[in-house]
Amino acid sequence: MKLLLAIFLCSFAYITYAQPLPSRGKAFNPDIGVNALFLDQESKRDKSENGMSLQEAELQFSSDVDAYFTARVLLAIEEEAGEYEISPEEAFVETLQVPYATIKIGKSKMPMGKHNQLHSHAFPFINAPLQNEAILGEEGLSETGVGASGLIPLPWFSELTFDYTQGENEDLFNAGDKGKKAIIGHFKNLWELSDAATIEFGISGAQGTNSDGADTNLAGADFTFKWRPVEGGKYHSFEWATEYLQKDRKGLSADKLSGIVSHLKYQLAQRWWVQYRYDYLGLNQSRSLDPSKRHTALIAFLPSEFSALRLQYETIDDGQAEDERTLSLQFNISIGAHPAHAY
Amino acid sequence: MKTFKIFIFTLCTILSIPSYAKLNVITTTTNLKSLVERIGGDQVEVQSFCKGTQDPHYLEAKPSYMLKAAKADLLVSIGLELEVGWLPLIIRGSRNPKIQEGGSGSFVAGSFIETLEKPTGTISRADGDVHPEGNPHFLLDPQNAVIVAEKIKDKLSDMDHEHSKYFLENFKKFSNEINSKLEQWQKQIGKNRKVITYHKTLTYFFHRFGIKNIALLEPKPGIPPSAGHIMEVMKNAKKEGVQLALVENYFDPTVANRVAKDVTGLKVRLIPVSVEGEKDVPDIVQLYEKLVSVMEAK
């Protein structure tokens, strides 16, 4: 009898246990998305990165925290010296209820120019501009701190962003004294020329203390023209963007470097794009290095908004005997929830 | 310090003065704009993000829209994930807590509608651009427009008590106009009309007037037509004797024209599916009239 009762109870327990969770239970899970970038690359001079690779995988989680905050975490998985590493590219919280302003707390990509704020899967070309890699570092300028941004009451779109951060970028900031912080600011303006075209003009600046205990100053400017016709806008569009970036590192290992990059993007058909980019790195350079000039051409086929196949060819003239030439093919996918892309 | 106090005091006073100006309403689509204009009349100022010739699925989140949203008292959207690719960015960028979803200035029309084509079971992106909560083009059914108009009337009355009677009158006028025309429209369209469309935009219109959508030029929502699929469409069109192919005017009609070459008697019409999608459709009732006239058996 006892045995029967035990079996009965057990089976009952089993049944209750096996009941699926009410589907509402999932409603509060964060939105999860994954981006993966697969790359096949062939370089003539530097052959170390030739061949097929998982360029990067990004895991994104985003959700409202409560009625007051929304949060986003982006983890990047990348190969670093033969081993895969997972690192927080961004992890931040933003306010929802503060009128006129957004307060941001955490680690995020700094508004030092336009390109620096993009995730790798949203880069207009397979690799970053030369100046971004040389000045802001391979991972770009991403800092931990507190930021505030707001719209300035002007007749056009005008936004001011200000970040007060720890300043951990190895080359630029990274002061021994933890009391020394780095500040980054961005002033963005956008005008609608017509329903189809906009121009954007922004300036950015940053200041912090470097490992020599001296100042590092950054300055940048960006200009973007975008066109997408109101009729037939699904099939054609055009973009021209130019960015200038300069660094002035003072102290023992003083270093001055600046560059300019400009690209054109034209949408030929619903799923086809052709693009061209010119980089010039080494304007008002303090070291006796030759400037680098790069031409990049790219053709992209986007089967849908969630996948893209891109073929890129670039030549770099950096003063060496032989120019670098690289051909790359990238396949880029996005699964799960994907937060809307900025304009 | 004293001047600072005076400054703060003046600032607070200015900010706390209630504005007696017209309600500033932003809508995501021109169809919603037209409805708000019908109900709000001269007591509201309405603007739409999406133009009548733009596909509301793929609008870009221009910062200039954030500026408009920052000044809005009310944001009227379709919902059902139609605007998911751009509206969240605009709302966030506006720094206007009122228009956040659930805020006092947020109105999501889709939440009042019994949607069609709501997928059952699991869904996947392999099915194309599917909307988990159902087809979002519900305003093309005139009766859904009446349902939404009534809720807009309630919302505007909540926000502007003084004119609630005026909003009610406008709503009654609109609802009477639609109801009196429905029968006439059905007669004009007739029975057993068969059509081909590009995207599933007109589902609700067809559902209301008993029109059969024999085939879609898109193999799956959001996926451009493939050669194999077009052959299939031609076969179906011939078998069913379809005489009309409709292409929403934000899509390219090339493919439809190719189908028409092979299917005798098939006419291709480029149609507006939003208010202001063509010059002669400045209003939602005129949009219905236009669609009915296209559908009319001649």
Side-chain angles (χ1 to χ4, degrees):
Chain A
M1 190 64 204
K2 266 187 189 167
L3 184 73
L4 268 177
L5 188 71
I7 291 171
F8 175 74
L9 282 178
C10 282
S11 59
F12 186 73
Y14 175 72
I15 291 162
T16 36
Y17 207 74
Q19 289 260 322
L21 281 167
S23 63
R24 276 281 155 205
K26 279 192 247 168
F28 295 114
N29 281 353
D31 289 340
I32 303 170
V34 181
N35 285 94
L37 290 84
F38 310 101
L39 182 66
D40 187 12
Q41 185 172 306
E42 209 58 53
S43 286
K44 243 181 137 188
R45 209 171 66 195
D46 175 13
K47 294 184 161 65
S48 65
E49 287 186 12
N50 279 3
M52 291 188 273
S53 65
L54 172 64
Q55 189 185 357
E56 191 177 303
E58 294 171 337
L59 309 176
Q60 275 191 69
F61 304 86
S62 55
S63 177
D64 288 345
V65 178
D66 50 27
Y68 310 103
F69 303 105
T70 181
R72 184 158 162 198
V73 175
L74 193 139
L75 305 172
I77 304 168
E78 249 182 307
E79 204 176 330
E80 204 65 59
E83 270 184 61
Y84 281 102
E85 269 186 6
I86 182 159
S87 58
E89 201 160 294
E90 290 197 294
F92 62 83
V93 174
E94 275 183 341
T95 54
L96 289 172
Q97 296 290 343
V98 178
Y100 309 113
T102 304
I103 313 289
K104 195 185 215 181
I105 300 146
K107 181 179 164 69
S108 61
K109 292 179 172 288
M110 290 292 115
M112 191 62 224
K114 260 176 90 78
H115 194 280
N116 187 57
Q117 298 175 63
L118 301 174
H119 294 124
S120 337
H121 72 264
F123 282 7
F125 291 81
I126 292 176
N127 40 16
L130 289 176
Q131 63 201 40
N132 285 64
E133 281 183 2
I135 296 176
L136 305 176
E138 202 122 299
E139 302 300 318
L141 186 61
S142 169
E143 296 288 353
T144 308
V146 189
S149 62
L151 301 181
I152 301 173
L154 287 169
W156 65 89
F157 175 88
S158 178
E159 182 192 53
L160 201 58
T161 310
F162 183 78
D163 284 281
Y164 179 75
T165 73
Q166 191 55 47
E168 285 167 321
N169 185 289
E170 219 172 295
D171 170 51
L172 300 172
F173 308 127
N174 195 27
D177 179 358
K178 291 288 173 210
K180 297 267 167 79
K181 311 290 190 217
I183 51 170
I184 295 105
H186 183 65
F187 181 42
K188 170 176 174 174
N189 296 280
L190 183 129
W191 295 268
E192 262 190 12
L193 300 179
S194 69
D195 286 332
T198 58
I199 48 168
E200 180 183 334
F201 176 69
I203 49 170
S204 3
Q207 192 191 35
T209 309
N210 57 43
S211 50
D212 297 335
D215 275 0
T216 297
N217 296 312
L218 295 176
D222 58 83
F223 171 83
T224 312
F225 169 82
K226 283 192 184 190
W227 170 82
R228 183 181 285 281
V230 178
E231 280 170 47
K234 252 180 155 24
Y235 305 97
H236 298 287
S237 64
F238 173 75
E239 173 184 318
W240 174 41
T242 303
E243 230 179 281
Y244 170 79
L245 193 61
Q246 76 165 45
K247 148 178 111 161
D248 181 5
R249 187 193 150 111
K250 300 195 166 76
L252 279 175
S253 45
D255 184 21
K256 268 188 180 180
L257 183 61
S258 57
I260 191 157
V261 62
S262 189
H263 77 244
L264 302 167
K265 254 173 110 167
Y266 180 68
Q267 186 185 2
L268 290 169
Q270 190 175 0
R271 311 197 279 186
W272 289 91
W273 297 79
V274 284
Q275 297 169 213
Y276 169 76
R277 170 178 70 181
Y278 179 71
D279 284 82
Y280 188 98
L281 179 71
L283 297 160
N284 77 56
Q285 199 166 5
S286 59
R287 274 182 295 176
S288 54
L289 266 173
D290 281 325
S292 300
K293 286 162 264 178
R294 175 168 75 178
H295 296 275
T296 315
L298 183 146
I299 180 157
F301 172 64
L302 280 67
S304 77
E305 47 189 317
F306 304 107
S307 60
L309 190 63
R310 307 197 291 174
L311 181 69
Q312 175 179 299
Y313 180 70
E314 60 186 332
T315 62
I316 306 177
D317 169 11
D318 50 4
Q320 296 192 35
E322 188 193 9
D323 285 359
E324 173 70 299
R325 287 164 208 281
T326 306
L327 184 70
S328 335
L329 182 66
Q330 185 199 51
F331 184 52
N332 177 342
I333 57 123
S334 166
I335 55 175
H338 191 76
H341 273 184
Y343 181 63
Chain B
M1 194 62 207
K2 202 176 165 198
T3 42
F4 181 68
K5 270 185 188 160
I6 292 170
F7 172 72
I8 291 293
F9 179 75
T10 345
L11 195 72
C12 288
T13 323
I14 292 168
L15 287 177
S16 59
I17 293 172
S19 62
Y20 291 107
K22 290 179 184 180
L23 280 175
N24 186 351
V25 185
I26 295 276
T27 67
T28 56
T29 69
T30 46
N31 291 352
L32 286 170
K33 177 184 164 213
S34 176
L35 280 184
V36 175
E37 279 169 346
R38 279 277 174 150
I39 307 303
D42 53 13
Q43 291 307 315
V44 293
E45 199 71 60
V46 202
Q47 283 183 77
S48 165
F49 287 136
C50 207
K51 303 272 172 243
T53 50
Q54 286 174 317
D55 183 350
H57 292 91
Y58 298 107
L59 206 64
E60 292 171 303
K62 285 185 193 168
S64 39
Y65 297 157
M66 296 172 189
L67 188 65
K68 286 178 185 165
K71 296 173 186 160
D73 299 308
L74 177 63
L75 172 70
V76 179
S77 62
I78 293 283
L80 310 177
E81 298 204 347
L82 176 72
E83 304 106 337
V84 72
W86 50 277
L87 191 59
L89 272 179
I90 293 171
I91 294 177
R92 222 178 59 197
S94 74
R95 282 99 171 159
N96 182 352
K98 275 188 294 188
I99 60 165
Q100 298 266 356
E101 210 175 319
S104 62
S106 160
F107 180 95
V108 184
S111 56
F112 305 110
I113 298 293
E114 279 288 332
T115 55
L116 297 176
E117 293 173 347
K118 195 170 178 164
T120 49
T122 54
I123 52 166
S124 146
R125 291 233 169 96
D127 305 324
D129 192 1
V130 278
H131 293 271
E133 292 169 78
N135 186 317
H137 307 287
F138 53 79
L139 281 181
L140 292 180
D141 174 354
Q143 284 205 322
N144 279 342
V146 175
I147 295 173
V148 174
E150 183 166 19
K151 299 291 176 184
I152 289 175
K153 177 228 15 165
D154 294 344
K155 187 79 196 175
L156 292 180
S157 305
D158 277 350
M159 298 182 83
D160 181 0
H161 294 295
E162 248 176 85
H163 295 98
S164 54
K165 231 175 134 189
Y166 171 70
F167 298 142
L168 181 65
E169 274 164 25
N170 284 346
F171 166 67
K172 279 185 181 159
K173 244 187 269 167
F174 177 68
S175 126
N176 289 341
E177 186 179 351
I178 294 285
N179 288 328
S180 68
K181 281 185 169 162
L182 269 176
E183 220 173 300
Q184 171 61 30
W185 286 339
Q186 182 69 70
K187 259 188 220 152
Q188 272 173 273
I189 290 168
K191 278 183 186 153
N192 296 322
R193 290 290 284 159
K194 290 174 184 174
V195 293
I196 292 174
T197 63
Y198 191 99
H199 181 73
K200 282 186 175 178
T201 320
L202 287 149
T203 305
Y204 290 87
F205 185 82
F206 295 162
H207 183 251
R208 172 63 49 207
F209 296 110
I211 298 161
K212 269 175 100 182
N213 196 356
I214 299 300
L216 293 155
L217 293 172
E218 280 181 332
K220 285 169 181 178
I223 309 288
S226 60
H229 179 72
I230 295 303
M231 300 298 285
E232 194 69 23
V233 172
M234 287 176 186
K235 219 170 76 187
N236 278 334
K238 281 178 192 162
K239 200 177 81 192
E240 299 274 349
V242 183
Q243 292 176 341
L244 193 58
L246 302 175
V247 179
E248 299 85 338
N249 67 0
Y250 39 73
F251 293 112
D252 186 349
T254 318
V255 173
N257 289 333
R258 246 197 44 211
V259 173
K261 251 189 211 168
D262 275 44
V263 182
T264 38
L266 185 76
K267 256 197 235 153
V268 178
R269 288 291 300 268
L270 209 57
I271 52 155
V273 285
S274 306
V275 171
E276 294 165 29
E278 263 175 25
K279 274 194 188 121
D280 57 346
V281 279
D283 170 83
I284 195 143
V285 177
Q286 264 135 314
L287 177 66
Y288 299 140
E289 303 261 15
K290 176 96 191 179
L291 291 176
V292 168
S293 76
V294 169
M295 234 42 93
E296 238 173 311
K298 278 169 199 159

